[in-house]
Amino acid sequence: MGATELLKLSKLNKWYDGLHALQDVSLTIGEGEVVALVGDNGAGKSTLVKIIAGAQTSDDGEISLRGEATTIGSPKDASNLGIAALHQSLGLVGSLNVFENIFLGREETRSIGPIKVLDKKKMRDRAIELLGELAIDVPRLGVPVLSMSGGQRQCVAISRLLLDQVNLILMDEPMAALGVAEGQKVLDLIVRLKDKGVSILIISHNLEHVFSIADRIAVLKNGRMIGTVSPKNVTRTDVVKMITTGENIESEGAAQ
């Protein structure tokens, strides 16, 4: 890994009753790095992401951020560390417009005498600024997001995450329900986020997408980290072999 270390997971384990869902899983994510997490259903991908997001806790193992040991016991802990999760549901309210969704739960207000009212202009201006920074094309900010395309809704949801200082965004199959053109918009946005120094951990079954955006590919099988490889050094066939056989091919060495 060439990038400066941001997040390091060391020997994480997770049990569900008698199921050993994660077995001594280690992974490092660098600053401004896109890491794709791949594997068959049941490999442990979502469990690992939920632990990083604070939605679940590991039973043992260590997590460090920029070299300092830390604990992620809740989504609030993750947020305080600059870790944000883009859920498949997106968390948007279809009847609300773009800036209302971006500021949902964090509305800006202004005072008129003793009364506080929503500062819609401030929210709209900040939403335009956020979308502009990421070169996101949403022609009409005032229409309900329900009327927008899937790709546009994904972009609005990602913009919402960036209201806070975000170091790492976790994505679980963000292009799964999108067409080719819409999926490409999200891929392009991921590249722009990387250029801004934001790290991405993305779960995806689409190896074409993975090879187009990932700096490294981490392969999980049956709760074990098989290894991490560079898409520059391997083929899709190599990665499929790792996923199906659990064999770690020669690339960046053993799992980190």
Side-chain angles (χ1 to χ4, degrees):
M1 184 192 70
T4 303
E5 178 184 300
L6 174 66
L7 185 75
K8 185 175 183 179
L9 315 175
S10 301
K11 296 186 177 300
L12 299 187
N13 283 277
K14 182 67 178 179
W15 284 267
Y16 295 109
D17 296 324
L19 174 66
H20 199 174
L22 293 180
Q23 305 176 44
D24 290 329
V25 170
S26 298
L27 178 67
T28 301
I29 302 171
E31 294 191 8
E33 183 180 38
V34 178
V35 177
L37 190 59
V38 302
D40 283 333
N41 292 333
K45 304 184 299 297
S46 292
T47 298
L48 183 60
V49 167
K50 287 176 182 177
I51 288 172
I52 301 171
Q56 296 183 4
T57 56
S58 61
D59 293 307
D60 59 32
E62 297 181 354
I63 300 175
S64 61
L65 186 74
R66 295 193 174 99
E68 294 188 9
T70 189
T71 300
I72 306 177
S74 67
K76 184 176 180 180
D77 288 344
S79 179
N80 289 339
L81 294 170
I83 300 172
L86 180 70
H87 301 289
Q88 288 185 336
S89 65
L90 300 184
L92 301 178
V93 178
S95 61
L96 299 182
N97 63 32
V98 172
F99 69 83
E100 289 171 336
N101 268 288
I102 289 177
F103 284 89
L104 187 63
R106 292 177 289 181
E107 290 82 0
E108 298 281 357
T109 60
R110 59 188 176 89
S111 298
I112 301 179
I115 302 173
K116 287 189 176 294
V117 297
L118 291 178
D119 192 337
K120 293 186 177 182
K121 182 180 186 304
K122 186 174 181 179
M123 290 189 288
R124 183 183 178 88
D125 289 346
R126 179 59 179 139
I128 291 172
E129 181 183 357
L130 272 175
L131 296 171
E133 288 175 2
L134 296 172
I136 296 172
D137 181 22
V138 179
R140 296 175 297 163
L141 297 183
V143 301
V145 297
L146 187 63
S147 66
M148 295 179 177
S149 68
Q152 288 175 327
R153 290 197 296 271
Q154 289 273 7
C155 292
V156 170
I158 292 171
S159 298
R160 183 183 177 194
L161 300 179
L162 298 179
L163 269 183
D164 299 318
Q165 179 60 47
V166 174
N167 303 311
L168 171 65
I169 296 179
L170 311 171
M171 299 182 176
D172 190 349
E173 297 284 358
M175 284 81 70
L178 303 180
V180 174
E182 289 290 292
Q184 187 59 51
K185 290 179 182 178
V186 178
L187 292 174
D188 292 342
L189 177 55
I190 290 172
V191 173
R192 292 195 291 272
L193 288 168
K194 175 187 172 181
D195 290 342
K196 289 173 65 67
V198 178
S199 303
I200 308 287
L201 179 63
I202 179 172
I203 295 176
S204 180
H205 284 92
N206 189 318
L207 290 185
E208 181 178 351
H209 291 165
V210 166
F211 271 76
S212 70
I213 59 169
D215 296 297
R216 289 184 300 133
I217 304 168
V219 182
L220 276 173
K221 183 175 176 63
N222 297 332
R224 293 184 180 274
M225 185 64 74
I226 303 304
T228 57
V229 296
S230 167
K232 297 178 181 178
N233 300 333
V234 298
T235 65
R236 295 180 199 176
T237 301
D238 292 329
V239 174
V240 170
K241 184 177 181 181
M242 292 178 70
I243 292 171
T244 55
T245 69
E247 179 183 347
N248 184 13
I249 63 176
E250 184 178 357
S251 176
E252 294 189 349
Q256 299 183 29

